[in-house]
Amino acid sequence: MINSLFIINSSGDVFMEKHWKSVIHKSICDYFFEEQGKAGSPEDVPPVIATPHHYLLNIYRNQLYFVAVVTTEVPPLFVIEFLHRIFDTFEDYFTECSETTLKEHFVIVYELLDEMLDNGFPLAVESNILKELIRPPNFLRTITDTVTGKNTGVSATLPTGQLSNVPWRRTGVKYTNNEAYFDVIEEIDAIIDKQGNTVIAEVQGYIDCLIKLSGMPDLTLSFINPRLLDDISFHPCVRYKRWESEKVLSFVPPDGNFRLISYHIGANNMVAVPLYIRHNIQYREGSGGRFEVTIGPKQTMGKVVENISLEVPFPKSVLNLTLTPSQGKYTFDPVGKILTWDVGRMDPTKLPSIKGNISLQSGHPIPESNPTINMNFSISQMAISGIKVNRLDMYGEKYKPFKGVKYMTRAGKFQFRT
Amino acid sequence: MTSNSFQLGGTGFGNDKAPSTGSGEGDFTNDPASSGFFSENFKRHEDLKAMLDGNKDNLKLDAMKRIIGMVAKGKDASDLFPAVVKNVVSKNLEVKKLVYVYLTRYAEEQQDLALLSISTFQRALKDPNQLIRASALRVLSSIRVLMISPIMMLAIKEAVMDMSPYVRKTAAHAIPKLYSLDPESKEQLVEVIEKLLGDKTTLVAGSAIQAFEEVCPERIDLIHKNYRKLCNLLVDVEEWGQVVIVGMMTRYARTQFVSPNQEGAGEDGKNFYESEEDEDEKEETEENEDEPKKKPYIMDSDHRLLLRQTKPLLNSRNAAVVMSVAQLYHHCAPKSEVGVVAKALIRLLRGHKEVQYIVLSNIATMTVARRDMFEAYLKSFYIRSSDPTHIKLLKLEILTSLATETNISVILRELQTYVTSTDKEFAAATIQAIGRCASNIAEITDTCLSGLVHLMSNRDESVVAESVVVIKKLLQMQTTEHKDIITHMAKMVDEITVPMARASILWLIGEYSERVPKIAPDVLRKMAKSFIDEEDIVKLQILNLAAKMCITNSKQTRLLCQYVFNLAKYDQNYDIRDRSRFLRQLILPAEKGPLAKHAKKILLASKPAPVLQSKFEDRDQYQLGTLSHILNNKTTGYKDLPEWPEEAPDPSVRNVEIPVPEVTTKKSERKKATKDKSFYSESESSSEDEDSDEESDDSDEDEESEEESEEESDDEDESEDEEESEDSDIPQKNNAPPKQSAPKKAPKVEKSESEEEESSSEEESSSEESEEEKPPPKSKASKKKPAKETKAANQNNTDLLLDIDLFGSSNGVTSSGGTQGSILTPSMASAMSNLTISGASSTSSSNFVQPMNIPLKSYDLLNRMTGNGLGITYKFTRTISVFSPKMVSIELTLTNHGESPLSGIKVGKKTLQPGMEIQDFPEIASLGTGASTSVLMAINFNDTTQPAKFEICTLEQTFKVSITAPVGELLQPHTMGLQDFTQQQGKLKGMTENTGKVTLPKEKSDAKSVVTNVLTVANMLQVPSSESDTVYRFAAKTMSEGVLVLVSVSVNEESANIVVNCEKMVIGTMLLKDLKSLLAKS
């Protein structure tokens, strides 16, 4: 399936390559660079590129391109999904997946790639198994290794998980403090039109877990209002039939961090929009224009909205902005023409606002349309959809774990058209 | 040598300083010292060789790490091969591993030397550690040296028989490697694959199928025997394997089953009960998931199995799995069921942009064929300014395809905002999209045209140009005159500079010059003036314009035309010269030829309007989800999806040693056993506990579940014993008369209903077990079966007594449940429902959940006029359906008003919304003139007020009918205390609450009539309250999903406040509306 993988940094260097079948010279990437040259921005590079004998499938994340080369028909999503999985694994191992970290840990990277794919087909992808096969870098271990002169990053035995029916969980887990934390995170995607009407608002939710439980715990998580969740994707550990019949999540969790479910609450349900903005953006011939934005609370359910920030991409003809915000700081990137206003917390009694002048490049026609405003915010201790965890039960182990649930709502792709 | 050792020390030092890297590899660390000396690559290799030749493991490891660094970077490290290959015997595992990595990379280039390492691998293949065995095989098979292919073959053959599934999986991966190296070994490999396909572990399944796909995809016959096993294992296979298996299954289904979308196949001539039973049994064994049970065409049970087993995969976190299931449904499922994939695909749109791109491309193709599928998700395709351009274009494509008369206004408004986008490519595409909408939907063409004309005064040139081109196309399609638009465009020729747009305007004027007789010559004059400065494409159109003008208006333009032709004669472009020569001869011929007479006909012939259609129109020739589909081009190795066969190949090839009927026997036994247990055993609760335990373990049988499974097998033994004794009691009756199957049917359903949840899942695990573990000898079982069934029927009937009791009492029926058999046919059940009515009125204070008020109102289903004498009315009985608690019972009264008796009345084809189900009434053999009969049917409306459309067939005719349930009938009463009620109501505040106020007519403001009215509207139960009498509360749950519906009516003299709380807002609002209208009516 996947023949070769090239990792390319933002300046166009192929700094790592791995082949699972016959070697394909990295000059194949020239086709990719050609497409990259045509694209306006890194995101615009088409994910699938056909060359005379090969097909290049690429993903772009964290300023790195992962380019996979295939030679025959293959489901493209298979490859793309797998590339993302590789990226996630690197991130899991090195906390950040960037050119520096990959170069720093290139041996582990190479061992991982060798273990994840065999003949271009996925072999061991579950993080729990990989971590048993190849130990992640760890500060303490490197010290002991240096002192003792031993250096064993790889395991001599096959992880038992690989053979069991719960391949996602490693065996022999032991903790002195048994803990299970659940983060219910919801992101609101919305488009709000000029008049302030909601064109579309959807919620994308995740339940991310941090499970540190000894042995083989069997957990059951139930919700007060499970009916809200009708469009879910599960981690493979979740027993689908139990969900179908009883609407409870029953699972033997992997060890450590993982995403239990992600769900989508579509536009057909009403989704509350926590904030509104009032805006007045005008360009005038010659002088420039006015820019004025005020943010106000709409449906915040009594919670404090934090970490508000605005991002406004301006057209190329805008030269600069001189603004005065009532709170927070603003920056304008004169190259990318992006205005960022870091608002911070919102005090409902004093609405944050920003106003000032736009200066336009002389000689250019004034822009016809106003920019869209992207907004970010977060509200803690609340899930906007109203989903609530009812209880968590554990079977199969005797100890009493410490359990915790946290709710958070934040903006996903939250746009105001102006 | 001394210098070497010095440098070695240097390396070690470098390591100490940058411990996190664990190596001193120059290019990968910031350590200036190490990078300094590593830059002189050539000499350093000597140093590496020395390190590898030494006997210190950590030095070797350092060296290997540096070498791997070079490999990773793509630098040539092949000259180190001899030094590295020696270390293949290293005891240090990490060194070994890195040597393996190196070997697989360079073995192909250094074949002779690579052979040195082979014996090491051969030894490792016999290692007791499975990981070492597997990795040896992995590396051995990755060494692409043709000479060792016999050794590889041997190793693979051995590994396939290995104890460890991990090694077997590795063997499966090795097969395609060997095949690509040595295609002649195919025959032997196919044998190996056949063996692997029989493997029962989920770990191996995916890789085995992958090997099958790469080596011998044409040997579909190898799959037959493993088909059912694969389907059943599918959920537990790892994600990547699932993708491959589903892909293969798609092809399999297309060759082995017949199309589920053909018309009327197998609809009649099939015994109603028989087919029903088959379906049911499968339903029960596999899972208790609701799916439309019956199809007008009888689907192969294996086909159904595939669809059912893949459906849960739509909830996978892996986009590739979801996509593969979606394409399976698209290509292999009946049309009515494909809809289920839409939701999952929409969910994927939240993924990474690359995933979005692929999914959107596939959706775009799907919308061309099935627009209705995605219509509900229109808003999900709205474009954000932050989307990458290719995603914007795809979304635009989909939006355009989804446009219909009803939603076009919304879409147009959305498109309008896109036009102003700063992304010019996107803005231009938007204009094209508007054009496509306008051409597809006649109603809006004029609106779009005026909008586009407006856009022509846009400041941006590309927008203007694009609108001109689109307007040209639209005008060409329009028959009506648009003089003003043409005039307007003619005026714009001066301003527009984009060649394509200019050319379009000129063409338009030429074509319709008679509509603008005053302006056209003027335009030509101007163009003649600027001719030499124009682009080629514009010049050609000027020539065209001149020629056409010369024909229609030769008096004014003949000279101009000649002038233009003369200019063109000396143009640099040969096309233009050719064109002018041709036109001159045609229009201004030196001598009158035969062609010149027809010049007008030739030039001004009416041209066919261009068809604006989706770019994805022709993509459906490729299988969805493939690379070829994305590229719209056949890729290497792509095979077209085969067409459905006309007739299905023999389905029996899929039968494994244990044939299906036997499994059924086993099942019914098992079912009875559980039943018996709960019936006879000491305590019901304990058995229930057990059940739930078993259930929690049903998907994975790890060590913990051993206890349970033991217990289970005990149960099974028990049941077998019992069954044996029964066998001896009852003489064999091999051919049970067909009639007998009818009464059998109902109890089964009945039972499954009463213990639906426990039994079905339990049965499943047991049946799987029995299939796999304890295949009883066939002959015995088949003999057993018929006897068993009659017995089972009796047995069930006695069991049923209990059920009836439960059922009856819950319906307020006292002891009038009738004889044992009476409940067995649906029509009798309807009789019972009538009993219920009387029962209810007498015991209305009872605490049981029961219908409080049965509306007598009946609705017309089929008018006697349109029904050619057959009149059908229906009413809602408000009883719990015998078929499924999720269904609404409906009593149909059929009356033959005609003059001839009707026969064979039954339900025909159904067109249902996804999630809806119909339980048909049994076929009415005949209905004499003037006779009338009542039958009971049940519909699961899936909590929507959508009509259930189906056909009523008589022998001669079919009538299309539809039943819509008022929202109040979608409910079932729910018992609730006051406290509970207020608590629940508190939870359902906010958006889920609907309030309304009505003025009550005088005569109806008393408590009793308010209550009756509410209960007439909706099938609810009054909540007993202790407070003042003026607030009445009612509670119910929706039939299919069991969502709570709460109504409270507070009467205040002459007005009443109604509050409806329901999570489903549609139900809430509609119920409120119904309540208001009835309460206000005097």
Side-chain angles (χ1 to χ4, degrees), chain B residues 575-843:
Chain B
D575 271 343
I576 297 173
R577 291 199 301 272
D578 277 358
R579 179 77 61 92
S580 83
R581 209 169 297 139
F582 154 69
L583 288 174
R584 185 191 289 274
Q585 287 310 314
L586 194 62
I587 293 161
L588 311 165
E591 65 227 48
K592 283 266 174 204
L595 266 180
K597 272 187 281 181
H598 301 291
K600 185 167 184 176
K601 260 192 213 161
I602 292 167
L603 284 176
L604 290 172
S606 68
K607 282 114 186 144
V611 184
L612 301 177
Q613 64 174 16
S614 166
K615 271 180 278 180
F616 285 80
E617 202 77 55
D618 56 342
R619 288 255 183 126
D620 56 356
Q621 57 173 311
Y622 298 108
Q623 188 178 352
L624 281 189
T626 59
L627 197 57
S628 307
H629 172 263
I630 294 297
L631 296 168
N632 200 11
N633 200 347
K634 254 195 187 164
T635 55
T636 332
Y638 174 79
K639 279 185 263 2
D640 278 321
L641 202 59
E643 280 303 316
W644 293 104
E646 289 282 310
E647 264 178 45
D650 182 17
S652 64
V653 289
R654 284 183 291 277
N655 289 351
V656 201
E657 301 82 70
I658 324 139
V660 196
E662 193 171 13
V663 179
T664 353
T665 331
K666 229 12 196 164
K667 230 174 291 156
S668 57
E669 268 165 37
R670 177 71 189 146
K671 205 189 304 165
K672 194 174 56 59
T674 44
K675 187 64 204 167
D676 283 354
K677 204 165 65 183
S678 61
F679 190 72
Y680 294 117
S681 69
E682 322 77 55
S683 68
E684 217 161 60
S685 60
S686 75
S687 75
E688 240 166 44
D689 281 352
E690 222 173 68
D691 286 346
S692 64
D693 279 354
E694 276 166 35
E695 192 174 290
S696 70
D697 287 313
D698 61 1
S699 59
D700 47 328
E701 296 168 12
D702 26 323
E703 296 90 336
E704 293 159 53
S705 71
E706 257 172 33
E707 283 178 309
E708 267 94 27
S709 54
E710 256 169 307
E711 266 175 69
E712 207 167 353
S713 56
D714 282 348
D715 290 348
E716 221 155 76
D717 291 344
E718 226 174 73
S719 73
E720 224 157 34
D721 291 347
E722 226 169 297
E723 178 222 341
E724 223 108 336
S725 62
E726 278 161 15
D727 270 350
S728 52
D729 286 350
I730 310 261
Q732 286 180 13
K733 283 181 208 161
N734 262 331
N735 291 323
K739 273 256 168 99
Q740 224 162 6
S741 66
K744 244 181 292 168
K745 167 79 197 87
K748 218 176 249 172
V749 174
E750 181 73 20
K751 208 151 58 77
S752 71
E753 185 196 330
S754 61
E755 41 160 35
E756 195 179 37
E757 273 175 13
E758 314 109 83
S759 68
S760 57
S761 56
E762 196 181 309
E763 268 158 37
E764 179 184 17
S765 56
S766 72
S767 69
E768 261 167 29
E769 236 168 70
S770 60
E771 233 171 324
E772 282 171 13
E773 286 162 23
K774 317 202 299 178
K778 180 183 165 187
S779 59
K780 184 185 163 199
S782 56
K783 254 190 280 167
K784 245 188 266 174
K785 190 190 165 197
K788 183 77 219 38
E789 262 182 13
T790 36
K791 179 66 191 171
N794 291 339
Q795 182 72 45
N796 282 338
N797 281 354
T798 43
D799 286 352
L800 192 67
L801 256 183
L802 184 77
D803 286 333
I804 289 172
D805 238 328
L806 274 170
F807 177 67
S809 63
S810 72
N811 273 290
V813 174
T814 45
S815 62
S816 54
T819 55
Q820 280 182 24
S822 72
I823 196 162
L824 303 178
T825 59
S827 54
M828 287 308 266
S830 82
M832 227 181 67
S833 72
N834 291 335
L835 276 172
T836 325
I837 303 170
S838 57
S841 57
S842 62
T843 58

Side-chain angles (χ1 to χ4, degrees), chain A residues 119-136:
Chain A
N119 195 33
F121 190 79
L123 182 64
V125 187
E126 282 299 333
S127 140
N128 266 243
I129 288 184
L130 281 174
K131 281 186 176 162
E132 273 187 78
L133 281 171
I134 302 155
R135 265 172 262 159

Side-chain angles (χ1 to χ4, degrees), chain B residues 288-305:
Chain B
N288 44 0
E289 171 188 313
D290 21 352
E291 268 205 337
K293 278 189 183 174
K294 290 222 0 160
K295 293 280 143 295
Y297 117 100
I298 307 294
M299 185 186 274
D300 191 304
S301 64
D302 288 320
H303 192 173
R304 172 52 68 206
L305 176 73

Side-chain angles (χ1 to χ4, degrees), chain B residues 294-531:
Chain B
K294 290 222 0 160
K295 293 280 143 295
Y297 117 100
I298 307 294
M299 185 186 274
D300 191 304
S301 64
D302 288 320
H303 192 173
R304 172 52 68 206
L305 176 73
L306 174 63
L307 293 179
R308 186 171 333 101
Q309 290 294 343
T310 47
K311 201 175 162 199
L313 301 187
L314 286 173
N315 290 77
S316 171
R317 63 170 171 174
N318 189 321
V321 176
V322 177
M323 191 66 233
S324 69
V325 177
Q327 65 86 18
L328 172 78
Y329 266 74
H330 179 81
H331 291 295
C332 298
K335 279 201 184 84
S336 55
E337 287 170 49
V338 184
V340 299
V341 304
K343 203 200 278 174
L345 287 178
I346 296 295
R347 189 184 62 232
L348 295 187
L349 294 183
R350 260 305 304 245
H352 297 287
K353 68 169 181 75
E354 296 86 5
V355 176
Q356 283 182 40
Y357 173 76
I358 309 282
V359 174
L360 284 171
S361 308
N362 284 299
I363 290 179
T365 307
M366 288 170 100
T367 45
V368 172
R370 318 168 190 268
R371 174 197 290 156
D372 47 324
M373 205 167 128
F374 290 97
E375 238 173 340
Y377 302 99
L378 184 71
K379 285 187 170 177
S380 303
F381 303 109
Y382 281 7
I383 294 158
R384 292 160 203 282
S385 57
S386 49
D387 288 331
T389 309
H390 51 257
I391 295 209
K392 285 182 186 163
L393 297 180
L394 281 171
K395 283 187 175 174
L396 202 57
E397 184 69 46
I398 295 170
L399 281 178
T400 321
S401 298
L402 288 179
T404 58
E405 279 99 3
T406 44
N407 60 19
I408 186 66
S409 61
V410 191
I411 292 179
L412 271 187
R413 200 173 320 132
E414 194 60 24
L415 291 180
Q416 258 166 28
T417 59
Y418 302 157
V419 170
T420 56
S421 164
T422 44
D423 185 342
K424 286 308 154 202
E425 189 188 349
F426 169 53
T430 307
I431 294 168
Q432 283 175 2
I434 295 176
R436 237 181 80 199
C437 289
S439 73
N440 292 343
I441 301 164
E443 284 91 338
I444 58 150
T445 315
D446 285 336
T447 341
C448 287
L449 261 180
S450 61
L452 289 168
V453 170
H454 184 72
L455 280 177
M456 284 197 301
S457 47
N458 197 296
R459 261 167 303 188
D460 191 272
E461 195 156 74
S462 56
V463 171
V464 177
E466 201 62 49
S467 4
V468 168
V469 175
V470 172
I471 289 177
K472 182 204 116 187
K473 286 185 185 156
L474 283 181
L475 285 184
Q476 216 181 328
M477 278 182 258
Q478 287 269 309
T479 42
T480 48
E481 286 196 22
H482 280 284
K483 196 179 151 189
D484 47 333
I485 295 177
I486 299 172
T487 323
H488 184 91
M489 290 174 84
K491 281 182 195 149
M492 294 185 63
V493 176
D494 297 337
E495 294 134 42
I496 294 178
T497 54
V498 178
M500 190 58 209
R502 286 176 78 88
S504 294
I505 296 179
L506 292 177
W507 183 89
L508 258 184
I509 295 173
E511 193 68 20
Y512 303 111
S513 56
E514 63 271 45
R515 295 192 195 164
V516 281
K518 293 231 172 75
I519 301 167
D522 236 21
V523 174
L524 181 60
R525 184 180 54 80
K526 276 187 186 163
M527 286 298 123
K529 238 161 88 181
S530 61
F531 184 85

Side-chain angles (χ1 to χ4, degrees), chain A residues 17 44 60 73 84 118 151 153 156 187 189 200 227 231-234 239 246 368-369 372 413 417, chain B residues 72 94 129 177 315 347 350 354 379 384-385 389 414 420 458 626-628 635-636 695-696 1041:
Chain A
E17 59 180 72
D44 285 346
Y60 178 72
E73 172 63 50
H84 280 294
D118 182 14
N151 197 339
E187 293 181 352
D189 289 354
I200 178 176
R227 267 169 223 301
D231 187 9
I232 321 184
S233 63
F234 299 107
R239 297 186 180 102
E246 298 164 56
E368 298 156 42
S369 61
T372 49
K413 296 173 185 160
R417 291 177 178 162
Chain B
E94 192 157 16
N129 185 335
K177 293 187 209 170
N315 290 77
R347 189 184 62 232
R350 260 305 304 245
E354 296 86 5
K379 285 187 170 177
R384 292 160 203 282
S385 57
T389 309
E414 194 60 24
T420 56
N458 197 296
T626 59
L627 197 57
S628 307
T635 55
T636 332
E695 192 174 290
S696 70
E1041 289 190 49

